[in-house]
Amino acid sequence: MSPMTRRQKFSILFPNAPAFRLKQMEEALFSSVFHGFADVSNMPLAMRETLTKELPWLAVTAVQVFESVKKDTFKAVVAVEGKKRVETVLMKNARGQWTVCVSSQIGCAMACTFCATGTMGFTRNLTADEIVDQVRFWIYFLRKKSILFSTLRPGLEERDSRGGAEDFESRISNVVFMGMGEPLANYEQVKEALRLLLTYTDIGMTRITVSTVGLLPMLRKLLSDPAWPAVRLAVSVHSADSDTRKRLMPSSYDGFLDGLVAWTEEYFQKFESRRRHLTFEYVMLSKINDTQRHAEALIRFAHRVGKVRINLIPYNFTGSVYRDSLPGDFERFQQQLEVAGVVVTRRRTMGDDIAAACGQLIVEKNVTPAIV
Ligand code: SAH
């Protein structure tokens, strides 16, 4: 069972506290000046003491941190409740700022056959705090790095090989729910995590992406949920051929693709302005979904949906039966889509040397830690 959130625990500990106290506590968590509840000097001392005793300041603790050779990707194995482990990734993005990839569950029940997390089964949902604290963990990490590097004496070789302090001073601008787990199978906690991020950080709605296998009941639910924020959505399609998709993703079924088209119609009707905020992800698997026939199916599908962005993802080998698309096949597939007028982008692969790339997030022991 998942632990209680700080918010739930706060209302049990202080049933008569005015609402602004809860807000103060939440604000403090995201403030750069406090390092623990004891520091929050605008709260009564007794309250601070109780909070220190009863609530974790950070709901995740780092077990190991790995650094990619290019120094642009970091992966952390973090423990929740002191023992269960999930992974979170920090990547330098195209804008020279940082993107955090968070996990939303311990393991995953979706069992996609090409995904490493899919093989580990499902343990439990993460709480909103455990999700948001993955972002806070990286905020602290960057802050520590920037202090460390700015205090190094100038002229040190380390500056050249590891980047200067300014690299680590730049802010976290994006959050993607693309780590372990299926976010929409943990709807309420993910929604609460979004609320916390949007209320207390400067990361905007269009800089947050929730990626889903496409749980249609949940996708429908968020359309009529006024508390679901207008974050970007990415649906993992991976094949527009029903049988292929069923083989790749056991959560799929006959009629899913039609259901997804119907959902997108409703989505665009409700949120015409969010059209460009919808992405379909497509992991490129050699001879499985990257042939001419599959491209044709995807083109037909994309045309049924209307203007939607297809994000082609290079497959990251996870020791399964699949192989990544041959460069020529990838190219031809992409061109076939472009010629047909489909908006298509290609995802950069980052951190594959530390098993931090998409679908490689599984707690494994065969990678050497760079920093602990
Ligand atoms: N459960 C969510 C988030 C999963 S990870 C979802 O399915 O969307 C984010 C993306 O990485 C998904 O599109 C997922 O299908 C993809 N992915 C999984 N394994 C991968 C692998 N080995 N190589 C490349 N992408 C992979």
Side-chain angles (χ1 to χ4, degrees):
M1 224 184 62
S2 305
M4 255 187 253
T5 61
R6 282 188 281 253
R7 195 181 173 81
Q8 287 167 328
K9 218 139 173 220
F10 187 94
S11 53
I12 292 172
L13 291 170
F14 309 107
N16 303 317
F20 76 89
R21 290 286 177 213
L22 175 66
K23 192 158 190 292
Q24 257 175 349
M25 177 196 68
E26 289 183 343
E27 253 162 18
L29 294 166
F30 292 87
S31 139
S32 59
V33 293
F34 302 131
H35 301 97
F37 292 115
D39 299 342
V40 192
S41 48
N42 52 354
M43 285 184 133
L45 185 62
M47 188 176 261
R48 278 187 264 159
E49 283 172 355
T50 308
L51 289 175
T52 308
K53 241 193 328 204
E54 301 289 337
L55 293 185
W57 176 254
L58 198 62
V60 302
T61 46
V63 178
Q64 280 178 325
V65 181
F66 304 91
E67 183 177 36
S68 71
V69 174
K70 285 198 221 141
K71 321 262 182 233
D72 58 0
T73 307
F74 298 86
K75 173 172 94 166
V77 176
V78 296
V80 295
E81 291 183 295
K83 47 190 187 296
K84 298 179 182 104
R85 286 162 188 209
V86 288
E87 299 185 359
T88 173
V89 179
L90 178 74
M91 295 164 275
K92 190 132 231 192
N93 58 39
R95 295 160 44 238
Q97 299 183 321
W98 296 94
T99 295
V100 170
C101 175
V102 294
S103 293
S104 56
Q105 298 182 314
I106 306 176
C108 186
M110 298 298 125
C112 298
T113 55
F114 50 86
C115 176
T117 309
T119 63
M120 66 186 280
F122 173 70
T123 303
R124 72 159 168 85
N125 283 330
L126 290 177
T127 65
D129 297 336
E130 291 164 339
I131 297 170
V132 159
D133 284 5
Q134 295 169 52
V135 180
R136 288 178 60 232
F137 166 78
W138 290 119
I139 293 174
Y140 290 132
F141 175 87
L142 287 174
R143 212 175 284 155
K144 248 190 274 165
K145 279 248 174 200
S146 108
I147 292 167
L148 176 71
F149 284 104
S150 58
T151 53
L152 280 177
R153 272 172 293 130
L156 286 184
E157 286 83 351
E158 252 190 289
R159 284 210 154 228
D160 303 328
S161 61
R162 309 197 66 163
E166 60 281 1
D167 285 349
F168 299 108
E169 274 162 12
S170 58
R171 59 187 273 272
I172 291 168
S173 60
N174 293 59
V175 175
V176 295
F177 285 70
M178 296 190 186
M180 293 175 163
E182 167 48 43
L184 292 189
N186 185 14
Y187 185 91
E188 292 303 330
Q189 294 300 314
V190 165
K191 185 167 83 173
E192 170 66 3
L194 294 171
R195 182 192 70 82
L196 288 165
L197 289 174
L198 292 167
T199 310
Y200 299 108
T201 75
D202 57 358
I203 306 166
M205 285 191 288
T206 60
R207 302 256 174 248
I208 300 179
T209 303
V210 173
S211 177
T212 172
V213 290
L215 297 179
L216 286 174
M218 293 297 138
L219 281 170
R220 286 190 205 108
K221 178 174 171 166
L222 69 85
L223 285 187
S224 52
D225 181 351
W228 180 269
V231 293
R232 288 178 188 248
L233 292 171
V235 181
S236 295
V237 171
H238 304 325
S239 180
D241 172 75
S242 184
D243 287 340
T244 308
R245 192 173 194 275
K246 279 195 297 185
R247 237 174 299 140
L248 295 174
M249 307 170 77
S251 62
S252 201
Y253 47 88
D254 289 331
F256 168 81
L257 292 162
D258 294 334
L260 184 59
V261 173
W263 176 81
T264 53
E265 273 165 25
E266 212 184 312
Y267 176 84
F268 291 142
Q269 233 164 44
K270 279 209 157 129
F271 309 112
E272 175 57 35
S273 61
R274 288 188 214 164
R275 190 168 276 272
R276 65 193 177 84
H277 294 170
L278 186 66
T279 299
F280 287 165
E281 293 160 288
Y282 198 99
V283 59
M284 294 290 285
L285 302 169
S286 183
K287 314 293 176 212
I288 304 286
N289 67 354
D290 69 347
T291 67
Q292 197 171 336
R293 179 176 76 79
H294 284 98
E296 283 160 10
L298 186 56
I299 289 165
R300 277 196 303 276
F301 182 68
H303 284 160
R304 281 177 70 195
V305 171
K307 211 169 146 226
V308 66
R309 193 167 68 103
I310 309 274
N311 190 213
L312 300 179
I313 311 177
Y315 170 61
N316 301 304
F317 185 65
T318 55
S320 71
V321 293
Y322 302 110
R323 292 284 174 274
D324 53 330
S325 290
L326 299 170
D329 289 343
F330 200 123
E331 215 45 58
R332 180 194 35 70
F333 191 92
Q334 183 167 353
Q335 268 177 21
Q336 204 174 325
L337 260 63
E338 281 166 353
V339 167
V342 177
V343 180
V344 40
T345 52
R346 183 190 286 221
R347 179 174 300 170
R348 285 190 302 156
T349 296
M350 300 184 73
D352 49 344
D353 56 331
I354 52 168
C358 287
Q360 294 183 312
L361 295 185
I362 181 169
V363 179
E364 56 185 346
K365 298 198 174 58
N366 59 345
V367 232
T368 28
I371 323 155
V372 179

